[in-house]
Structure formats: structure tokens, C-alpha cells
Amino acid sequence: MAASVSRTPRWFTATALLLAVLSGCSSARSADRSDTPPVKSKADAQAWAQQITEHMAQTAGIETDASTIDALFTPCTGKNGETASDDRYILMYSVKSTVPRAQHPEAVRKVRDLLAGEGLTVKGYRETVDGKPDALVDAFHPSSRYSATASTSGTADRMYLRVITPCLLPPPDELSPHS
């Protein structure tokens, strides 16, 4: 229990910091998505995404498998396929957990309630497909523009937790020489 108490304040702190960093995204001038994205190092973005998935897992009562962590950094792409030369990126962070399939709907229900309570808008939700456990919750934060997902993964007892950041810009000391 002590470990979960220490994670929760850190998660709330990380969320508060991300919201503060991303608050410019919700301003009136952010209607133009070509504005400069929030600055965040890749290491900080990955640590934040990991904290979010850990908190989702803790809320659902499941444990993640660190050997399945996947952190994919991709360039931000515009509506017409264009990319900027300033190294802006999106992080797609995921981790899996082994959970008895019958528990997937309950786990996803708990994650859905957590995410909705944190101000995310639930965009997709299901507990079963053809009467069998095949759970999914997909949520999006309207002002910060990050998404979070918890879902059944494949046909086994795997659950998948994922966070996708909005477009972020690395700090100047992380920019590539040709930026």
C-alpha cells in the first residue's frame, strides 16, 4: 500500500505539470495547430506516459510487464503529410499486462472511471464482443490533446495500456544539428 500512496501524488504532479506545459494548446490561438507545440524532452515525455499507464494499471488492480514496454517517437505530421524541421514529435507509449480475460471488463470499467474523473472524454468503450470479454476504453483529453487506452490485446489474457502525447517539441539542447 505504501508504494501506491507514493505513486499517486507523483502521478498527479506529473499530470498537473503536463497540463501546465500543454495549457497553451487550449488557448484561443491554438486553433491554428501550426503554433509551436509545448516543449518537453523525450525522456520527460516517456516518464510521464509511464506514470500514467502505471496509474491506470494500479487503478484497475493489474500489474504491467516491463519487458513489453514500447516507446515509439515519431515526427509530427500535418494534415497534408508535411513535417516540420524542428524535431517536433509524438510519443506512442504502451505496455502490456497479463490478466485473466474474465477480469478485462471490470479492469476497463475502473480505468474508464479514472480517465473520465481526470477530465478525459471517453471516445470508445466496450466490455464484450459477441458475448465474450473483449474490453476497450479509449479516451482523449480535450485541452491537452493526449489520449489514453486500455484494452484486451489479442486472444490471450493480455491487456494493453497506451498513452499517445500531442505534438511536443524537444528543448533546444535536444534538437538535431540540422533543425
Side-chain angles (χ1 to χ4, degrees):
M1 186 70 168
S4 65
V5 172
S6 66
R7 282 188 201 169
T8 301
R10 186 174 53 168
W11 182 81
F12 284 118
T13 301
T15 300
L17 288 172
L18 182 73
L19 289 174
V21 166
L22 299 180
S23 64
C25 296
S26 63
S27 68
R29 70 182 186 92
S30 70
D32 176 12
R33 298 281 172 121
S34 65
D35 286 347
T36 302
V39 175
K40 192 165 199 71
S41 73
K42 288 182 177 181
D44 287 347
Q46 184 169 337
W48 175 82
Q50 181 176 356
Q51 288 175 344
I52 296 297
T53 57
E54 286 175 358
H55 190 62
M56 290 165 57
Q58 178 185 13
T59 298
I62 62 178
E63 291 186 32
T64 58
D65 178 355
S67 71
T68 66
I69 290 173
D70 186 20
L72 177 64
F73 294 91
T74 63
C76 292
T77 305
K79 285 189 291 189
N80 300 316
E82 68 277 10
T83 57
S85 61
D86 60 4
D87 292 338
R88 54 185 75 193
Y89 68 92
I90 292 172
L91 168 61
M92 291 178 274
Y93 179 92
S94 65
V95 63
K96 293 181 181 169
S97 178
T98 301
V99 181
R101 193 148 186 130
Q103 294 175 12
H104 288 202
E106 179 185 352
V108 166
R109 222 176 290 130
K110 289 176 180 178
V111 172
R112 176 198 62 194
D113 294 346
L114 166 75
L115 297 174
E118 293 295 325
L120 283 80
T121 302
V122 174
K123 296 289 190 175
Y125 182 77
R126 71 168 185 257
E127 293 186 10
T128 62
V129 172
D130 297 329
K132 297 177 183 165
D134 191 350
L136 163 83
V137 62
D138 191 26
F140 180 77
H141 198 281
S143 62
S144 301
R145 299 189 338 252
Y146 74 90
S147 67
T149 302
S151 67
T152 297
S153 177
T155 58
D157 290 341
R158 298 289 256 176
M159 286 208 71
Y160 173 78
L161 304 174
R162 179 184 71 194
V163 170
I164 301 176
T165 69
C167 190
L168 299 170
L169 187 63
D173 61 334
E174 289 186 12
L175 294 175
S176 66
H178 55 282
S179 295

